[in-house]
Amino acid sequence: MQLEIGTICDGKVSGITNFGAFVSLPGGKTGMVHISEVSNKFIKDIREVLTENQEVKVKVISISEEGKISLSIKQTEKQEERPERPRKPRPPRNADVWQGNKSEPKENMSFEDMMAKFKQVSDEKMTDLKRSKESKHGGGFSRGARKGQNG
């Protein structure tokens, strides 16, 4: 049997290490399944999932120039089907800034009107931001003024 990338075949686990398992393949070749390619679930100890001489179905995922064969067990299994969650479309952040006044239809606004509205909303947000920063910093209290009082 000619092994090529994408080939799925049966093999037998011939050795287990901390990082994966060696699998004997048809034709006397041996490939390695890295621990990350054993299952879609996290595996702390590969020995809890695989044992020596266990029959496994593997997929050839790469063959190096030196002839090393990388295999995957998880790619031969059907993916667990998860029900699709219906997603609600989210409005883009700051959508209200770009849409102008929602009571006015966008088609009736000229470019200049939209820019003026954007500038107005932007100025309002900058003012709110400055007020917020001042309130967090104690309303304009400065350490420099205090030094003069202590001297």
Side-chain angles (χ1 to χ4, degrees), residues 1-145:
M1 172 182 214
Q2 179 66 25
L3 290 178
E4 297 176 2
I5 294 174
T7 302
I8 295 177
C9 58
D10 292 319
K12 185 182 276 192
V13 177
S14 59
I16 298 177
T17 67
N18 291 334
F19 56 85
F22 291 95
V23 177
S24 297
L25 301 169
K29 299 202 178 207
T30 299
M32 209 234 8
V33 179
H34 189 267
I35 192 168
S36 65
E37 288 294 328
V38 173
S39 173
N40 287 314
K41 297 175 181 155
F42 176 76
I43 298 174
K44 185 174 184 177
D45 182 7
I46 193 167
R47 288 171 180 84
E48 293 176 1
V49 181
L50 296 175
T51 58
E52 285 196 36
N53 297 319
Q54 179 180 349
E55 297 282 333
V56 290
K57 187 176 288 285
V58 293
K59 179 178 180 180
V60 178
I61 55 176
S62 72
I63 302 173
S64 72
E65 291 179 13
E66 299 85 32
K68 292 182 180 179
I69 303 168
S70 294
L71 304 170
S72 174
I73 294 173
K74 74 179 183 181
Q75 291 184 28
T76 64
E77 300 168 352
K78 284 188 175 182
Q79 297 291 324
E80 292 180 24
E81 292 194 27
R82 285 189 269 164
E84 277 293 316
R85 251 185 355 166
R87 295 185 178 213
K88 297 177 186 173
R90 283 201 284 187
R93 293 173 78 194
N94 298 330
D96 56 327
V97 173
W98 296 105
Q99 292 175 358
N101 187 349
K102 292 190 183 223
S103 62
E104 299 176 28
K106 269 200 318 192
E107 304 88 45
N108 296 342
M109 292 182 73
S110 69
F111 178 75
E112 288 79 15
D113 291 340
M114 287 190 280
M115 285 302 292
K117 181 65 179 173
F118 171 77
K119 185 177 181 319
Q120 176 189 354
V121 171
S122 178
D123 289 343
E124 289 170 1
K125 288 190 179 215
M126 288 301 292
T127 303
D128 290 344
L129 180 64
K130 286 178 185 174
R131 277 192 211 126
S132 171
K133 280 188 175 183
E134 286 175 4
S135 67
K136 288 180 183 174
H137 293 291
F141 174 77
S142 96
R143 293 183 180 199

